[in-house]
Amino acid sequence: MQLNHYLNFQGETEAAFNFYKSVFGGEFSNLTRYGEMPAQEGVTLSEADKNLILHVSLPINAFTELMGSDTNDQFCAQNNSIFTPGNNHYISINLNAHEQDEAKRLFDALSVNGQIEMPLEKTFWGALYGAFTDQFGIKWMVNCQLEAM
């Protein structure tokens, strides 16, 4: 299991992560834009929104990745997760395919008396993923990668 930091920005993810890359070195292990998402019913993205970062990962060392994304009101507003300074950080638990039971256990245990933002379910990026705020106000993501990226 890895515990990683996940940062949210409001249109500044690319600039921030290019800066972090200049400081830490290395290359992005993943960079996906909103425009690369499969079409979703009721969701229309402007050209500017399509260019925003849906997910970026920058390996810091063998045990840590710094990850982040730009918030998008079409996906966040429905869950009362609109960006405000102070709620732009998650603890991200990253697991491998053989750890699906552990992903479910951690999601269920940590989210008790909390607020689920996205239920733990299979995603288009080949993972079992869910997000929530725990009963103490800490934001968490559980990502169990099922398929190679």
Side-chain angles (χ1 to χ4, degrees):
M1 173 193 328
Q2 279 185 300
L3 290 177
N4 293 310
H5 294 277
Y6 200 102
L7 308 175
N8 288 327
F9 296 91
Q10 200 167 27
E12 298 173 322
T13 301
E14 189 162 11
F17 272 77
N18 281 326
F19 169 74
Y20 300 143
K21 187 168 101 170
S22 76
V23 172
F24 293 109
E27 296 297 325
F28 299 131
S29 60
N30 182 289
L31 192 150
T32 306
R33 298 182 186 279
Y34 276 96
E36 298 173 52
M37 282 186 355
Q40 296 184 27
E41 187 175 325
V43 175
T44 305
L45 295 172
S46 69
E47 288 306 311
D49 283 348
K50 287 179 183 178
N51 197 44
L52 293 175
I53 305 296
L54 174 66
H55 177 75
V56 62
S57 297
L58 177 64
I60 303 299
N61 59 39
F63 307 104
T64 306
E65 286 194 50
L66 185 61
M67 297 182 282
S69 66
D70 286 309
T71 60
N72 184 298
D73 290 343
Q74 291 192 66
F75 300 103
C76 297
Q78 64 195 11
N79 297 310
N80 298 321
S81 297
I82 297 173
F83 178 90
T84 55
N87 79 350
N88 57 340
H89 181 265
Y90 284 80
I91 296 174
S92 178
I93 299 172
N94 296 294
L95 301 154
N96 295 314
H98 68 278
E99 299 173 295
Q100 291 178 56
D101 290 341
E102 181 69 353
K104 182 168 177 21
R105 184 189 75 77
L106 289 168
F107 184 92
D108 292 344
L110 288 167
S111 65
V112 168
N113 297 324
Q115 182 177 4
I116 294 176
E117 183 178 321
M118 182 175 170
L120 189 67
E121 59 191 21
K122 189 164 182 185
T123 64
F124 72 87
W125 64 85
L128 190 61
Y129 171 85
F132 58 91
T133 303
D134 72 17
Q135 60 187 313
F136 303 104
I138 304 300
K139 297 173 98 40
W140 294 84
M141 297 176 170
V142 175
N143 189 81
C144 181
Q145 198 64 41
L146 303 174
E147 303 166 14
M149 292 176 60

